[in-house]
Amino acid sequence: MKNKGTIPWTPSQTGFELKRKASFSQMYNEDDEQGAARTAPGIYSADGAHPTNEKIWKLMATYLKSDVPSLQTSIVNHIEYTLACTRFSFAEESAFRATALSVRDRLIESYNDTNLFFHETDCKRGYYLSMEFLLGRYLQNAIMSLDLEDNYRDAVMDLGYSLESLYEQEADPALGNGGLGRLAACFLDSMATLNLPCWGYGLRYTYGIFEQVIKDGRQIEIPDFWLSYVNPFEVIRPDVVYAVRFYGSLKASSSAEGNDRAEWTGGTLVAAVAYDNIIPGFDSFNCINLRLWKSEPSREFDFDAFNQGRYADALREKEWAESLTAVLYPNDNTDAGKELRLRQQYFFTCASLQDILRRFKRTKGRSWDELPDKICVQLNDTHPSLAIPEMIRLLVDVEGLEWSHAWNLTRRCFNYTNHTIMSEALEKWSADMMGHVLPRHLQIINRINFEFLESVAAKWGWDSPSISRMSIYEEGTVKKIRMANLCVIGSNRVNGVAAIHSEIVKKDVFPDLYAWFSQNGEPHKFINCTNGVTPRRWIHIANRDLSLLMSQWLGSDEWLKELSLLQGLVNHKDNPRLQAQWLEVKQKNKRSLARWVKENTGVDLDEHSLFDIQVKRIHEYKRQLMNALYVIHRYLSIKAMTSKERAKVVPRSVLVGGKAAPGYFTAKTIIKLFNNISKVVNQDKEIDGLLKVVFLPNYNVSNAQVIIPASDLSEHISTAGTEASGTSNMKFVMNGGLIIGTMDGANVEIREECGPETMFIFGAFEHEIDLVRQQVRSGIYPIDSRLEKVFSAIKGGMFSLNDMAAQREFDVIVDNLLRNGNGVCSDHYLVCHDFPSYCDAQGQVDEVYKDRPKWLSLSIQAAACSGKFSTDRTIAEYAAKIWNLKPMERPAPGLASVCRTPSKEALVSPLTNSPATNSISKGSPAPTVGDVPNHIQKCSK
Ligand code: NBG
């Protein structure tokens, strides 16, 4: 992401102060040699475990300073002492790494002190378990969050580098597939910013999502070895290691309650090693953690095998262990169903839960009954669902609790978010495979299921048809375990990710479970928490000019923490001055994207054309195909026009990007179709300037930061009821792009918030879909004449580029859309049905775009009303409705002239203002946001 060119408004030049409460640039005193004072261990705790080593104490009594010379010293120190480069000659990549390490130093201090605060106040903790975190680049976000942009810019400039070009050096950590993983990353940002005592847990894949290269119009997958230059931000924890077992055998051991305890022995042990990634809050001194696990062999070599000359055998175990976290499964909204994936999932949940329980047990005198008051765990989709039986295993087999006690505690700790209604994504594991890989877990799942069904049968009878649908097991030739049912039964709350989706979850995905729990004591189990995105990354970093413009008109940048404040812009939406500035920012962003497109595809774009963008994973339900068909229609229409008619056409650049799962043939054909359309259209001199089509390669977070701010129009056109929420729709709107879309996912709520006039809505409604499909099956399915022409153009070879294989694939796609009737609905996603209304909506887009003041007014209105879609709102809802978690803002560090001191009288509890030896009695109030302890003492210099 680059911020090149002129920035329309510079706060400092106009005497405008953007003040942050948590500014690390203020953590030193110009006249003082020292940085701000750090907080003493024991200061918040009930039992006051004070430091004993005064020497260490004194050596580390203050924070690192972050003035320009201090940053420079820090950077060159890392250049020489960490990277072993010479200070006088180092490459830009080394400059990036050294800068990153200097940032990490500062993050570590805050992170340690935040942890100390959480630990000593013994607050309840939230854990977000996700197999995916699509973090995007780290450096800029960290420097921005620490409020050190100016200092770092000056510091590196003086060393001969531009901060922006250092940002470009960073690999994009892409440990996720799409929306679900990016949501998890936005959530972490908001958890830290809201000062919630939360941590994320995930896997440290050696290879993230593949890099997409387009060759001859087709997607080629290149492994993403993102660690080739190491990750300077992570902190390896060789001392935080857990053993994870696979396979093996079971021996029942006796207990008062019978056979509920088991001894699981043998099999293969793998080590899980922790890698910490510090997540800074914005305008807060809190830093939280994303702990990622890497798999390693439990012992390096099998020396016996090695000594007997079986070198390959000796290495096999190592390879086997390391393969666990080697690659992210590149599937989106589909279930891989492979044993390696099951092992990854177990490895992840086993290590995370051991870590969570270890932290819980660290406080002396704990009772297990406190567990649900001290921890809550969010399962990001079913991927971490083995955490439920794993918790029971740890409590029963390791900690010795009775089954019913363990089950009761477990159910109250877990919560499950459903992210999709695609049946192919609802994970089901073969019971045989589970029994082989995780014999104890199969046993535990059996018992959970049996007891649950027994309770249902007691009320509804064993012959109720609901029983088989509610069962965790799906009977059939291969008996399967429905992980989603396990999640619902084993969780306290179940949520969907947009209002419409949460309703579908209740009525279509889990209707029987919903009915059961509603009628049997858990009426509030199923809830909704609409997704969001973080405005820090998606406006302030991705679109700095817009961010500044918003602050300028609102008179403050408070909106970055309270996005609803953007509402204040609505009053100005028709102000010509704001409109002119708004347009200028948009044009500049379009120019940047045009440059990016030229560099990456060679295509020249007209920056004054309407930029129409659809970027997301390629999937039939998202209907990129319908977009392609419309582009062909538009192309054919322009070709058929007289020059007079052409003069009225709004020039368009249609940009489409996204990765297809490597094994998803149809999705890959759609990419090929777009690329062929692009070739044909862009080379056609006759329509030059009126239409351009580009496939944007390798869509990822960094590229999204360039792409999204440049859109005039973005496409969110899934068949109603299929897209759980979508989150890019929110990002586009915040950046002043209007939406063409269906009444699906979060589009529905965006329309509610921003006003129907800001969206171009079309297509069947969710409640109509079943009926339409029924009609299609019975043969009532007229094909629009415009679409017929498009089909004949494709079938006639207009886009084959003489590639017969491609032509056959395109034919199959068209044939499938047309194979309906006689009980068949092959156009499952109803492309043909929605096509005419889609064309009409596109026509309205052109009309509104011609009236530029009107378009700008709508664009400002939409962005101004997007406040609901900040993850700050989403996470505050999770905290209140699901986790029952309170903010725990760590007190602001003292200024340089004060220092921490371990002397008794100085140690005053932040909660009571009384000496810290006072214990925190149960029920004492948690510190509220803004409470600053009175523990900082003046140094007698
Ligand atoms: C995706 C949905 C999106 C949604 C994100 C985040 C999965 C399984 N689901 O619509 O398709 O926005 O989750 O909730 O990736």
Side-chain angles (χ1 to χ4, degrees):
M1 214 282 309
K2 287 176 188 162
N3 270 322
K4 284 186 180 155
T6 53
I7 293 174
W9 179 70
T10 318
S12 54
Q13 279 171 11
T14 47
F16 191 100
E17 260 194 285
L18 297 175
K19 267 212 182 128
R20 294 256 203 100
K21 178 176 58 177
S23 175
F24 284 66
S25 63
Q26 306 298 314
M27 278 171 57
Y28 65 95
N29 190 333
E30 299 268 349
D31 318 321
D32 204 323
E33 285 303 299
Q34 285 181 315
R38 294 190 65 181
T39 26
I43 200 133
Y44 311 112
S45 72
D47 56 5
H50 308 308
T52 48
N53 191 326
E54 292 272 340
K55 183 68 196 174
I56 297 179
W57 199 237
K58 278 202 184 119
L59 285 170
M60 303 189 67
T62 55
Y63 287 98
L64 291 173
K65 290 164 64 180
S66 294
D67 54 315
V68 173
S70 304
L71 292 180
Q72 288 173 328
T73 309
S74 187
I75 293 170
V76 294
N77 276 343
H78 278 298
I79 295 265
E80 178 137 21
Y81 303 128
T82 313
L83 307 181
C85 296
T86 139
R87 277 165 299 159
F88 304 106
S89 153
F90 52 92
E92 199 167 41
E93 198 282 324
S94 309
F96 155 69
R97 261 193 296 158
T99 306
L101 288 163
S102 76
V103 170
R104 193 186 76 156
D105 291 343
R106 283 152 180 83
L107 290 173
I108 287 175
E109 292 181 333
S110 260
Y111 161 69
N112 278 343
D113 291 356
T114 309
N115 266 347
L116 182 76
F117 182 63
F118 291 167
H119 172 63
E120 294 190 348
T121 49
D122 192 28
C123 55
K124 181 175 185 180
R125 312 263 197 139
Y127 297 108
Y128 198 77
L129 265 55
S130 176
M131 292 280 283
E132 304 188 12
F133 285 92
L134 207 42
L135 291 175
R137 284 178 177 153
Y138 201 99
L139 181 61
Q140 186 179 9
N141 183 60
I143 291 181
M144 185 273 294
S145 297
L146 299 177
D147 199 19
L148 289 177
E149 280 180 318
D150 290 345
N151 290 13
Y152 265 105
R153 181 165 289 108
D154 293 349
V156 301
M157 181 114 67
D158 218 14
L159 300 176
Y161 295 95
S162 94
L163 193 54
E164 271 67 32
S165 61
L166 294 191
Y167 293 156
E168 293 294 315
Q169 290 292 321
E170 187 179 344
D172 190 319
L175 308 184
N177 273 286
L180 171 143
R182 182 55 230 175
L183 182 78
C186 285
F187 274 9
L188 291 177
D189 181 78
S190 286
M191 289 167 185
T193 299
L194 296 178
N195 301 309
L196 289 168
C198 294
W199 272 22
Y201 278 100
L203 289 181
R204 181 183 177 274
Y205 302 104
T206 312
Y207 293 89
I209 183 81
F210 61 86
E211 185 190 338
Q212 178 193 55
V213 169
I214 302 297
K215 199 158 177 267
D216 298 327
R218 291 194 187 269
Q219 167 177 301
I220 310 286
E221 299 96 25
I222 308 282
D224 164 48
F225 185 49
W226 68 291
L227 295 168
S228 59
Y229 270 101
V230 306
N231 172 7
F233 293 103
E234 67 188 3
V235 182
I236 178 169
R237 299 284 193 192
D239 52 330
V240 183
V241 183
Y242 297 97
V244 180
R245 188 185 305 278
F246 296 97
Y247 313 112
S249 52
L250 293 177
K251 217 166 62 191
S253 60
S254 56
S255 93
E257 241 188 80
N259 69 343
D260 59 0
R261 203 157 293 156
E263 211 179 306
W264 182 20
T265 54
T268 307
L269 284 177
V270 175
V273 182
Y275 282 70
D276 288 350
N277 299 266
I278 302 171
I279 311 291
F282 175 83
D283 201 18
S284 162
F285 289 107
N286 276 31
C287 280
I288 60 169
N289 189 20
L290 168 60
R291 178 157 282 178
L292 301 178
W293 302 107
K294 177 179 190 286
S295 58
E296 288 188 358
S298 56
R299 55 177 194 276
E300 265 303 308
F301 269 115
D302 178 344
F303 276 104
D304 284 347
F306 185 71
N307 289 335
Q308 289 160 25
R310 289 186 287 119
Y311 183 69
D313 287 349
L315 275 178
R316 197 164 299 138
E317 189 191 343
K318 180 173 159 65
E319 274 168 22
W320 191 90
E322 285 173 353
S323 71
L324 280 174
T325 52
V327 275
L328 165 85
Y329 271 88
N331 282 334
D332 181 70
N333 277 298
T334 36
D335 171 18
K338 298 277 191 319
E339 187 183 311
L340 175 60
R341 171 81 172 168
L342 178 66
R343 283 196 261 121
Q344 278 189 338
Q345 294 187 348
Y346 179 60
F347 172 80
F348 164 49
T349 50
C350 176
S352 306
L353 278 189
Q354 289 187 64
D355 199 42
I356 291 168
L357 291 188
R358 180 191 55 87
R359 194 167 303 110
F360 170 77
K361 288 188 343 184
R362 219 164 46 179
T363 303
K364 285 190 214 105
R366 277 269 195 250
S367 140
W368 283 107
D369 289 333
E370 286 178 74
L371 194 65
D373 300 327
K374 289 296 174 191
I375 71 166
C376 53
V377 180
Q378 193 68 35
L379 303 174
N380 197 23
D381 224 325
T382 54
H383 317 154
S385 53
L386 282 166
I388 294 173
E390 175 64 5
M391 175 81 108
I392 294 182
R393 185 188 75 80
L394 291 170
L395 294 180
V396 172
D397 296 354
V398 181
E399 302 294 345
L401 271 65
E402 290 306 333
W403 171 279
S404 52
H405 191 193
W407 171 240
N408 187 355
L409 296 176
T410 301
R411 288 177 50 234
R412 290 159 58 206
C413 289
F414 284 98
N415 306 286
Y416 156 61
T417 308
N418 173 281
H419 289 269
T420 183
I421 62 135
M422 294 285 125
S423 54
E424 63 267 35
L426 292 177
E427 292 184 301
K428 291 174 193 162
W429 290 109
S430 124
D432 283 348
M433 194 202 288
M434 183 77 79
H436 176 57
V437 180
L438 302 168
R440 177 58 176 144
H441 296 77
L442 183 66
Q443 224 177 39
I444 292 171
I445 292 169
N446 277 342
R447 181 157 177 183
I448 296 174
N449 195 44
F450 180 74
E451 290 187 355
F452 174 66
L453 292 185
E454 222 176 24
S455 66
V456 177
K459 289 207 171 174
W460 290 0
W462 280 108
D463 53 355
S464 158
S466 294
I467 293 269
S468 66
R469 294 192 295 259
M470 289 161 83
S471 171
I472 296 176
Y473 289 102
E474 182 183 271
E475 303 297 335
T477 37
V478 179
K479 188 168 174 170
K480 291 198 165 154
I481 305 173
R482 298 167 173 144
M483 301 312 273
N485 287 25
L486 172 64
C487 283
V488 174
I489 295 165
S491 288
N492 183 35
R493 292 275 180 277
V494 176
N495 76 290
V497 290
I500 180 176
H501 171 238
S502 296
E503 288 308 308
I504 296 174
V505 165
K506 289 191 276 192
K507 85 178 162 65
D508 294 340
V509 187
F510 306 113
D512 306 278
L513 288 166
Y514 170 61
W516 167 260
F517 285 110
S518 306
Q519 294 163 29
N520 290 280
E522 293 183 64
H524 307 298
K525 188 178 189 115
F526 286 80
I527 60 168
N528 173 55
C529 286
T530 300
N531 281 345
V533 302
T534 167
R536 271 77 65 183
R537 182 173 291 262
W538 293 109
I539 308 179
H540 193 57
I541 291 182
N543 197 349
R544 182 58 56 88
D545 293 344
L546 187 69
S547 172
L548 290 173
L549 190 61
M550 287 168 162
S551 299
Q552 182 189 1
W553 280 79
L554 294 169
S556 120
D557 66 352
E558 279 292 296
W559 61 271
L560 278 170
K561 273 189 86 173
E562 180 44 74
L563 199 63
S564 59
L565 292 174
L566 285 184
Q567 270 285 347
L569 292 173
V570 173
N571 299 335
H572 307 292
K573 66 179 180 165
D574 296 313
N575 182 320
R577 205 158 54 83
L578 174 59
Q579 288 200 353
Q581 291 171 330
W582 196 266
L583 180 63
E584 192 187 329
V585 171
K586 183 61 80 185
Q587 279 311 123
K588 195 174 145 197
N589 294 332
K590 287 168 78 172
R591 224 170 295 137
S592 302
L593 177 57
R595 238 189 340 261
W596 187 96
V597 166
K598 178 73 182 167
E599 276 165 24
N600 287 280
T601 69
V603 177
D604 286 303
L605 292 182
D606 168 9
E607 64 193 53
H608 296 291
S609 61
L610 184 158
F611 278 22
D612 164 353
I613 303 181
Q614 186 178 21
V615 277
K616 46 187 87 236
R617 287 296 293 258
I618 310 290
H619 207 296
E620 284 159 279
Y621 84 80
K622 295 178 188 277
R623 299 200 293 194
Q624 284 93 351
L625 177 59
M626 192 165 70
N627 189 352
L629 299 175
Y630 174 73
V631 172
I632 296 175
H633 159 65
R634 197 168 173 103
Y635 173 60
L636 298 177
S637 312
I638 296 173
K639 277 183 88 71
M641 282 178 187
T642 62
S643 56
K644 216 166 138 197
E645 286 166 329
R646 280 184 196 170
K648 291 193 212 137
V649 170
V650 175
R652 265 212 207 194
S653 300
V654 179
L655 313 174
V656 176
K659 294 175 184 175
Y664 190 172
F665 192 74
T666 307
K668 289 177 127 177
T669 304
I670 293 169
I671 293 179
K672 173 70 176 157
L673 178 61
F674 256 110
N675 278 303
N676 280 19
I677 296 171
S678 162
K679 270 245 162 70
V680 171
V681 171
N682 297 351
Q683 280 167 4
D684 191 337
K685 290 277 172 286
E686 201 188 336
I687 61 134
D688 195 29
L690 292 184
L691 184 62
K692 281 277 167 72
V693 182
V694 176
F695 187 84
L696 305 167
N698 201 37
Y699 181 59
N700 61 13
V701 175
S702 309
N703 294 337
Q705 290 176 204
V706 181
I707 294 166
I708 290 171
S711 91
D712 293 306
L713 181 76
S714 69
E715 309 238 358
H716 308 275
I717 57 177
S718 50
T719 314
T722 61
E723 185 72 273
S725 162
T727 41
S728 76
N729 40 7
M730 304 168 181
K731 297 169 197 162
F732 278 106
V733 170
M734 280 176 199
N735 281 281
L738 298 187
I739 284 180
I740 182 165
T742 46
M743 287 294 269
D744 198 19
N747 286 357
V748 177
E749 286 155 84
I750 296 175
R751 182 171 177 273
E752 233 165 64
E753 295 292 308
C754 304
E757 63 281 17
T758 64
M759 284 173 81
F760 303 93
I761 294 287
F762 69 92
F765 292 120
E766 191 265 327
H767 65 265
E768 298 168 342
I769 298 289
D770 278 348
L771 186 66
V772 176
R773 284 198 184 125
Q774 248 176 52
Q775 286 175 343
V776 177
R777 274 192 287 272
S778 68
I780 310 170
Y781 205 32
I783 304 295
D784 185 83
S785 62
R786 293 167 286 195
L787 191 54
E788 273 176 342
K789 284 189 193 141
V790 172
F791 286 158
S792 7
I794 296 175
K795 289 221 131 190
M798 188 180 264
F799 302 99
S800 74
L801 301 173
N802 298 320
D803 173 347
M804 284 308 114
Q807 181 61 40
R808 275 192 299 275
E809 290 169 37
F810 300 162
D811 286 347
V812 169
I813 284 196
V814 172
D815 293 343
N816 269 340
L817 293 180
L818 291 171
R819 200 160 26 83
N820 301 302
N822 295 322
V824 174
C825 171
S826 170
D827 180 12
H828 184 69
Y829 294 110
L830 303 180
V831 169
C832 301
H833 179 272
D834 283 354
F835 189 80
S837 61
Y838 180 48
C839 292
D840 297 346
Q842 291 284 18
Q844 288 159 23
V845 169
D846 290 326
E847 284 318 301
V848 180
Y849 197 72
K850 282 179 190 163
D851 181 351
R852 204 51 66 89
K854 164 102 192 192
W855 183 277
L856 286 165
S857 167
L858 292 171
S859 157
I860 295 168
Q861 176 180 333
C865 299
S866 65
K868 175 175 176 184
F869 305 104
S870 163
T871 32
D872 296 344
R873 190 270 313 147
T874 314
I875 285 297
E877 274 184 31
Y878 274 80
K881 296 205 281 195
I882 304 182
W883 303 332
N884 191 18
L885 211 54
K886 302 275 177 301
M888 294 296 292
E889 183 178 24
R890 89 172 170 93
L895 280 179
S897 52
V898 292
C899 70
R900 61 184 186 175
T901 160
S903 65
K904 264 274 184 234
E905 59 277 16
L907 297 168
V908 177
S909 157
L911 307 180
T912 57
N913 269 4
S914 56
T917 42
N918 280 2
S919 62
I920 305 170
S921 60
K922 249 194 163 170
S924 64
T928 51
V929 180
D931 262 355
V932 178
N934 186 21
H935 67 275
I936 297 163
Q937 300 291 306
K938 274 263 177 204
C939 274
S940 48
K941 280 208 229 157

